[in-house]
């Protein structure tokens, strides 16, 4: 029996279709088939089949359809195919019983050998019987249809490339010509067709095709082809053999492989078996699990193996340090890890759904059917790992942990590998790799003593080797010093083989200069994942360049990128043990907090120059604090976000109330504009508990409400804004009331409750006029005008917006852009398209001066809409194409929607 959705929805028994029921029943079946093996909740089924907000009565219909589908499968010899589990309904069929599952499996198994790829990809392509989900209406069906059509196109492109590599072009040119006819504006299709034609000796025809594509782009869309297509054209003109197509796609997040890696051959072979074993159960996710004591080399082994097999995962390699045993207790939450993966997979921050479950579902969907490797390093427990597991057998997962993670083995089928210390032979080879064979052979006896005292622990051996490299000490002296130490790290008290690890750290620490030793102790106070040079200087209150260099040379600190450093978990624990009152840790952390606060505030001034100063005025930073120069504020916030939030959290824990609030304030604009809305909410929740100042409380409530609004948590947003309004009314703060009513207006407008939005915008106008605040009067006038336009009274909208223009500060480019956007909207709906286009172009100039990319994309979209309405499709394409490029980095869903409109625009134009 087989369920087919890559064409009309069918259930086939013995190769013959049987009646799959009415349209809604077939839709329910299609949802279950595409999600085969995964539970689908009734709510999701209702939304996908009946749309958003389905009537209550259709719940009964859903149960009826599920019952009929069960009867259908029972009659076909598959009773129990649809089961109810805790997460919802599951279509539980054997592997290959759905055409989508077979397609994913065939694409995933298409290996590196060209002939094998041709065969498997050809079988996958042959599964297509027409338009996926044929005849099924609804938004979900349309999204899935487009996604599967894109997978089909990508499979044909890979098949054609494999045919070229195999030297067998039979059928490839014809297939690519058909694909090009169906997708005349797809540059990837044009690239492959040109390469295929050239490989078949038809270079002139390939050049002719480029000229036709370029003319189509210029005439229909008002733009030149992209860089890849132009490069292939240049290669064809050069008459040199075309280079092979790139085999690597997707993210490559693996850390660098350790220089001098040695030994571990049996363990590498065991990991190879994880790949080979995936064929035993093709539908199961292959999971390798490396466990062992701290410092035993789990991460090094995992990363080395990952680099060895990376070529087998051309769709990318994902990596995250889950920090499961961070000495500060700050593990990487699954939600944070998923968001990092989504970011690496190209999902803009604004395209990330709310909640771990939805984020994990998006992550699994994006990697479904792709050949990828996921390395989950330093996990604490199985619960931290499970949300990060894919749902597709084409993705291999490798987990490392100090804990055994028995549940991951028992429930999820992970293949465990317990990593022990290195053998004496491997340990000696590691020393020899680091120090040179001659030196080790000259002091063979003492080298053996070092191996014994380091107990085969790779981290300890690496530290000893680094010390030997950086000093003139003999191995005899080093072994003697190592042997005299007798303390041990409590966290490494796991038996005789590890009792000397603290001795290694102690010995390396004692060999440091006083400034370097002081810096190492202070680095244990830093709660974030890494730090820059100036953050380290602020911790120490002095120049630390020499100290950082010394710690790096001694392998006590890792410079993972120029000027940025990480401290190994074990060394951080050791440093935290060593800290004493003489180091003045409270003063050091205050300087660190001031470093991030004042650096963030300076970056914020560049990002949002017209923003009002903090309600809680920033004091001068503590003596000894240095700050970063953030020439690119967005890039600075992207780099330092995790550190900034970690320091904010530690400041809240330490009772630094004023700095806690100020850090939330300093991070606010970046978290808002860059789309990190859960972090925005979290920071202001901490700030709420860190102040008793009425104005600061009101501001925190208002920004928290904004975050809730962005996350779609409207009830919580409204509750916060009502509390803000109460505080401002008690304080008789009219400007605060105006701002809050403006926020309420925005919230109701996003809900499409425009009448209430208008009410609050009018209240905002009244309050700001009574306060005599011209800036807020202008913003309120625009809001009132916008709401009138949304309600269809465009003449009144223009009246209000023109009044706003008179009052807006010429330097307030953002408010000017918003107001000209409102004016353009009104003119558009009055069919005054020339005036609308002029307004949008003026707004665009203001948005670009404000460096607001999302607003710029929105205005380009509006301008294109007006051009379409005016019948100027070429101008519309010229506006929409850069809008798509901007949205691709901000809002993937909006970019996809506009891209489809752009393609339809070109298709419509070509048929004229």
């Amino acid at each position: 029996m087989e369920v087919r959705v890559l064409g009309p929805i069918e259930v086939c028994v013995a190769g013959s279709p049987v009646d799959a029921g009415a349209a809604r029943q077939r839709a329910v079946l299609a949802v279950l088939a595409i999600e085969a093996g995964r539970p689908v909740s009734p709510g999701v089924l209702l939304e996908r089949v009946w749309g958003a907000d389905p009537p209550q009565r259709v719940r009964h219909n859903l149960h009826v359809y599920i019952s009929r589908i069960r009867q259908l499968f029972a009659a076909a010899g598959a009773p129990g195919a649809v089961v109810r589990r805790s997460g919802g309904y599951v279509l539980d069929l054997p592997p290959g019983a759905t055409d989508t599952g077979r397609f994913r499996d065939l694409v995933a198994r298409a290996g590196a050998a060209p002939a094998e790829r041709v065969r498997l990809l050809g079988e996958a392509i042959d599964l297509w019987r027409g338009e996926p989900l044929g005849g099924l209406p609804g938004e979900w069906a349309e999204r899935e249809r487009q996604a599967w059509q894109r997978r089909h196109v990508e499979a044909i492109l890979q098949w054609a490339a494999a045919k070229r590599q195999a030297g067998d072009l039979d059928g490839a040119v014809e297939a690519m010509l058909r694909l090009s006819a169906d997708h005349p504006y797809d540059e990837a299709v044009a690239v492959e067709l040109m390469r295929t034609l050239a490989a078949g000796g038809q270079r002139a025809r390939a050049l002719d095709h480029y000229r036709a594509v370029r003319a189509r782009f210029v005439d229909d869309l008002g733009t030149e082809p992209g860089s890849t297509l132009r490069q292939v054209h240049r290669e064809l003109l050069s008459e040199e053999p075309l280079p092979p197509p790139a085999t690597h796609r997707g993210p490559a997040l693996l850390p660098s492989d350790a220089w001098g890696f040695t030994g571990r051959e049996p363990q590498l072979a065991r990991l190879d078996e994880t790949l080979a074993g995936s064929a035993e159960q093709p539908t199961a996710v292959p999971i390798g699990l490396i466990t062992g004591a701290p410092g035993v080399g789990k991460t090094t082994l995992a990363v080395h193996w990952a680099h060895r097999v990376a070529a087998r995962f051309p769709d990318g390699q994902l990596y995250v340090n889950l920090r499961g045993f961070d000495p500060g207790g700050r593990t990487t939450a699954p939600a944070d890890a998923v968001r990092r993966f989504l970011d690496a997979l190209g999902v803009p921050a604004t395209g990330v759904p709310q909640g771990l479950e939805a984020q994990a579902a998006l992550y699994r969907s994006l990697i479904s059917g792709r050949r990828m490797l996921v390395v989950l390093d330093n996990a604490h427990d199985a619960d931290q790992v499970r949300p990060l597991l894919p749902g597709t057998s084409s993705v291999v997962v490798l987990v490392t942990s100090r804990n055994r993670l028995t549940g991951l083995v028992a429930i999820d089928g992970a293949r465990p590998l317990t990593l022990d210390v290195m053998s004496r032979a491997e340990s000696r080879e590691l020393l020899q790799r680091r120090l040179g064979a001659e030196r080790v052979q000259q002091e063979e006896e003492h080298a053996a003593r070092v191996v014994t005292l380091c107990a085969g622990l790779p981290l300890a051996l690496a530290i000893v080797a680094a010390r030997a490299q950086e000093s003139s000490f003999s191995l005899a002296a080093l072994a003697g010093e190592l042997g005299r130490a007798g303390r041990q790290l409590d966290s490494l008290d796991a038996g005789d083989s590890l009792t000397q690890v603290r001795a290694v750290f102690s010995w390396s620490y004692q060999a440091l200069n006083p400034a370097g030793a002081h810096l190492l102790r202070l680095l244990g106070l830093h709660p974030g994942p890494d730090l820059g040079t100036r953050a380290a200087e602020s911790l120490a209150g002095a120049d630390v360049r020499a100290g950082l260099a010394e710690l790096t040379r001694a392998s006590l600190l890792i410079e993972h990128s120029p000027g940025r450093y990480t401290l190994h978990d074990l060394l951080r624990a050791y440093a935290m043990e060593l800290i004493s009152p003489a180091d003045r840790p409270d003063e050091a952390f205050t300087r660190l907090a001031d470093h991030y606060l004042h650096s963030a505030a300076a970056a914020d001034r560049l990002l949002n120059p017209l923003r009002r100063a903090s309600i809680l005025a920033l004091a001068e930073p503590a003596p000894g604090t240095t700050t970063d120069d953030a020439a690119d504020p967005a890039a600075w916030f992207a780099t330092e976000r995790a550190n900034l939030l970690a320091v904010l959290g530690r400041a809240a824990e330490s009772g630094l109330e004023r700095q806690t609030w100020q850090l939330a304030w300093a991070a606010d604009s970046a978290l808002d504009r860059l789309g990190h809305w859960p972090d925005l909410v979290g920071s202001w929740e901490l700030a709420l508990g860190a102040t008793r100042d009425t104005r600061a409380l009101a501001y925190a409530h208002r920004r928290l409400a904004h975050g809730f609004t962005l996350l779609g948590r409207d009830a919580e947003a409204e509750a916060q804004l009502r509390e803000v309004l109460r505080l401002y009314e008690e304080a008789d703060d009219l400007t605060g009331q105006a701002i809050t009513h403006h926020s309420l207006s925005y919230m109701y407008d996003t809900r499409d409750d425009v009448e209430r939005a208008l009410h609050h915008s009018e209240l905002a106008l009244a309050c700001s006029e009574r306060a005599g605040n011209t800036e807020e009067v202008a913003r309120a006038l625009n809001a009132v005008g916008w709401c009138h336009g949304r309600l269809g009274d465009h003449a009144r909208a223009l009246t209000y917006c023109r009044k706003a223009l008179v009052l807006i500060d010429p330097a307030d480019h953002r408010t000017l852009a918003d107001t000209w956007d409102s004016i353009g909207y009104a003119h558009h709906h009055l069919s005054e398209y020339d005036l609308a286009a002029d307004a949008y172009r003026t707004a665009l100039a203001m948005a670009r001066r404000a460096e607001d990319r999302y607003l710029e994309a929105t205005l380009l979209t509006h301008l294109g809409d007006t051009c379409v309405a005016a019948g100027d499709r070429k101008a519309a394409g010229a506006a929409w194409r850069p809008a798509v490029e901007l949205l691709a980095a901000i809002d993937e869903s909006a970019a996809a929607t506009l891209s489809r409109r752009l393609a339809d625009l070109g298709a419509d134009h070509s048929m004229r």
Side-chain angles (χ1 to χ4, degrees), residues 81-410:
V82 178
V83 296
R84 180 67 188 265
R85 295 179 183 161
S86 59
Y89 296 103
V90 179
L91 183 60
D92 189 11
L93 289 174
T98 65
D99 55 1
T100 54
R102 287 181 60 204
F103 177 85
R104 287 189 177 110
D105 178 64
L106 288 165
V107 172
R109 289 193 289 115
E116 180 73 359
R117 285 180 62 77
V118 168
R119 183 180 68 80
L120 293 173
L121 289 169
E123 290 181 21
I125 294 166
D126 288 343
L127 293 172
W128 246 254
R129 298 171 295 106
E131 183 180 72
L133 303 171
L136 198 65
E139 292 183 6
W140 172 81
E142 182 59 27
R143 289 196 305 270
E144 284 294 322
R145 188 175 294 118
Q146 291 172 0
W148 280 100
Q149 286 171 336
R150 188 63 216 171
R151 292 186 184 105
H152 186 221
V153 170
E154 290 176 355
I156 295 174
L157 293 175
Q158 292 180 40
W159 172 81
K163 294 276 282 185
R164 283 194 292 107
Q165 290 177 313
D168 172 19
L169 295 179
D170 182 34
V173 171
E174 292 77 8
M176 288 307 306
L177 287 170
R178 288 193 298 271
L179 195 63
S180 177
D182 292 338
H183 301 273
Y185 296 92
D186 191 320
E187 294 193 25
V189 173
V191 165
E192 184 54 44
L193 174 55
M194 290 167 63
R195 288 183 178 275
T196 302
L197 287 169
Q202 302 184 60
R203 189 179 292 260
R205 190 177 180 187
L207 290 170
D208 287 343
H209 184 69
Y210 175 80
R211 285 188 285 270
V213 170
R214 181 183 179 277
R216 188 183 306 127
F217 274 52
V218 172
D219 293 343
D220 297 353
L221 306 179
T223 186
E224 292 285 340
S227 58
T228 302
L229 189 55
R230 295 198 306 271
Q231 176 61 31
V232 173
H233 178 239
R234 286 192 294 269
E235 292 167 356
L236 289 170
L237 290 174
S238 72
E239 298 188 356
E240 294 293 329
L242 290 178
T247 58
H248 175 77
R249 293 177 284 114
L253 302 189
L254 294 178
S256 59
D257 196 4
W259 182 86
F261 182 92
T262 187
R264 303 300 199 188
E265 290 302 325
Q267 292 80 10
L268 291 168
R270 286 279 304 279
L271 292 174
D272 288 339
E273 291 173 8
T274 301
L275 285 179
S278 62
E280 298 173 8
Q281 188 176 349
T283 59
V285 178
I287 305 172
L289 171 62
I290 305 173
T291 62
V296 79
K298 300 181 295 294
T299 296
T300 302
L301 175 64
V303 171
H304 180 74
W305 180 79
H307 278 283
R308 286 208 334 175
V309 300
R312 301 181 67 173
F313 302 97
D315 294 323
Q317 306 90 40
L318 297 173
Y319 171 91
V320 65
N321 181 0
L322 294 174
R323 300 168 65 89
F325 302 90
D326 186 280
R330 299 183 179 278
T331 61
T332 300
D336 290 336
V338 169
R339 288 199 293 270
R340 292 181 197 178
F341 285 172
L342 291 176
D343 180 64
L345 291 165
V347 178
T350 52
V352 177
Q354 179 186 347
L356 174 58
E357 184 177 350
Q359 292 166 2
L362 176 59
Y363 156 69
R364 285 191 292 269
S365 297
L366 289 172
I367 65 176
S368 179
R370 298 172 70 176
R371 290 180 295 160
M372 299 185 73
L373 175 65
V374 178
V375 180
L376 306 176
D377 192 20
N378 201 14
H380 185 271
D381 52 35
D383 289 339
Q384 194 182 18
V385 169
R386 287 196 178 102
L388 308 177
L389 295 178
T392 178
S393 60
S394 64
V395 180
V396 173
V397 180
L398 183 58
V399 183
T400 75
S401 179
R402 297 180 190 177
N403 290 336
R404 291 187 179 274
L405 305 192
T406 304
L408 200 67
V409 177

Side-chain angles (χ1 to χ4, degrees), residues 350-489:
T350 52
V352 177
Q354 179 186 347
L356 174 58
E357 184 177 350
Q359 292 166 2
L362 176 59
Y363 156 69
R364 285 191 292 269
S365 297
L366 289 172
I367 65 176
S368 179
R370 298 172 70 176
R371 290 180 295 160
M372 299 185 73
L373 175 65
V374 178
V375 180
L376 306 176
D377 192 20
N378 201 14
H380 185 271
D381 52 35
D383 289 339
Q384 194 182 18
V385 169
R386 287 196 178 102
L388 308 177
L389 295 178
T392 178
S393 60
S394 64
V395 180
V396 173
V397 180
L398 183 58
V399 183
T400 75
S401 179
R402 297 180 190 177
N403 290 336
R404 291 187 179 274
L405 305 192
T406 304
L408 200 67
V409 177
I411 298 174
D412 300 283
R415 292 173 172 245
L417 167 62
T418 301
L419 189 62
D420 202 351
V421 295
M422 299 182 80
S423 68
R424 292 187 62 83
E426 289 174 329
S427 298
R428 185 187 182 282
E429 186 179 356
L430 189 153
L431 277 182
Q432 189 166 297
R433 285 279 187 95
R434 297 292 183 94
L435 301 178
E438 183 178 353
R439 182 172 183 181
V440 171
Q441 290 169 3
Q442 287 175 349
E443 298 187 75
E444 186 69 49
E445 180 182 345
H446 303 298
R449 176 67 173 156
V450 168
V451 167
T452 299
L453 292 171
C454 287
L457 198 68
L459 179 60
L461 287 161
I463 294 172
V464 172
R467 178 59 177 155
Q469 286 174 302
E470 293 294 328
S471 71
S472 59
F473 295 162
S474 65
L475 288 179
L478 296 174
E481 188 172 353
L482 179 62
R484 285 192 296 272
R487 294 183 302 158
Q488 52 188 292
L489 282 168

Side-chain angles (χ1 to χ4, degrees), residues 373-626:
L373 175 65
V374 178
V375 180
L376 306 176
D377 192 20
N378 201 14
H380 185 271
D381 52 35
D383 289 339
Q384 194 182 18
V385 169
R386 287 196 178 102
L388 308 177
L389 295 178
T392 178
S393 60
S394 64
V395 180
V396 173
V397 180
L398 183 58
V399 183
T400 75
S401 179
R402 297 180 190 177
N403 290 336
R404 291 187 179 274
L405 305 192
T406 304
L408 200 67
V409 177
I411 298 174
D412 300 283
R415 292 173 172 245
L417 167 62
T418 301
L419 189 62
D420 202 351
V421 295
M422 299 182 80
S423 68
R424 292 187 62 83
E426 289 174 329
S427 298
R428 185 187 182 282
E429 186 179 356
L430 189 153
L431 277 182
Q432 189 166 297
R433 285 279 187 95
R434 297 292 183 94
L435 301 178
E438 183 178 353
R439 182 172 183 181
V440 171
Q441 290 169 3
Q442 287 175 349
E443 298 187 75
E444 186 69 49
E445 180 182 345
H446 303 298
R449 176 67 173 156
V450 168
V451 167
T452 299
L453 292 171
C454 287
L457 198 68
L459 179 60
L461 287 161
I463 294 172
V464 172
R467 178 59 177 155
Q469 286 174 302
E470 293 294 328
S471 71
S472 59
F473 295 162
S474 65
L475 288 179
L478 296 174
E481 188 172 353
L482 179 62
R484 285 192 296 272
R487 294 183 302 158
Q488 52 188 292
L489 282 168
D490 295 338
S491 62
L492 288 177
D493 189 6
D496 290 343
S497 65
L498 298 179
T499 55
Q500 297 300 314
V501 173
R502 181 188 271 121
V504 173
F505 292 162
S506 173
W507 160 74
S508 295
Y509 165 74
Q510 291 168 9
L512 295 171
N513 291 323
H518 178 60
L519 177 59
L520 180 63
R521 295 194 299 272
L522 294 178
L523 287 173
L525 298 172
H526 191 281
D530 71 344
L531 81 167
T533 302
R534 293 191 177 180
E537 287 178 348
S538 297
L539 266 173
D543 189 336
V544 295
R545 286 174 293 181
L548 290 171
E550 182 183 16
L551 294 175
T552 303
R553 286 195 303 270
S555 296
L556 295 172
L557 199 62
I558 299 171
E559 187 175 14
H560 66 86
S561 63
R564 298 202 68 81
Y565 302 86
T566 57
L567 190 67
H568 191 281
D569 288 352
L570 303 180
L571 288 164
R572 184 180 303 188
Y574 182 67
M576 292 176 70
E577 285 185 355
L578 296 173
I579 199 81
S580 72
D583 293 307
R584 299 182 177 179
D586 292 343
E587 293 180 18
F589 184 76
T590 297
R591 289 192 300 269
L592 182 70
D594 274 352
H595 161 79
Y596 284 107
L597 171 59
H598 287 272
S599 298
D604 181 71
R605 282 193 293 274
L606 295 174
L607 193 67
N608 192 3
L610 292 180
R611 189 183 183 194
R612 297 184 182 90
S614 171
I615 291 169
L616 300 183
L618 273 63
E620 289 296 316
T625 302
T626 59

Side-chain angles (χ1 to χ4, degrees), residues 682-693:
S683 63
W684 281 114
E685 285 177 332
L686 289 174
L688 272 179
T691 184
R692 286 168 291 280
D693 181 277

Side-chain angles (χ1 to χ4, degrees), residues 51-72:
D53 299 321
Q56 188 66 31
R57 58 179 172 80
V58 302
R59 290 184 176 273
H60 171 71
N61 296 355
L62 174 62
H63 296 312
V64 171
Y65 291 141
I66 292 290
S67 177
R68 290 177 180 173
I69 291 170
R70 284 172 169 161
Q71 293 170 13
L72 171 66

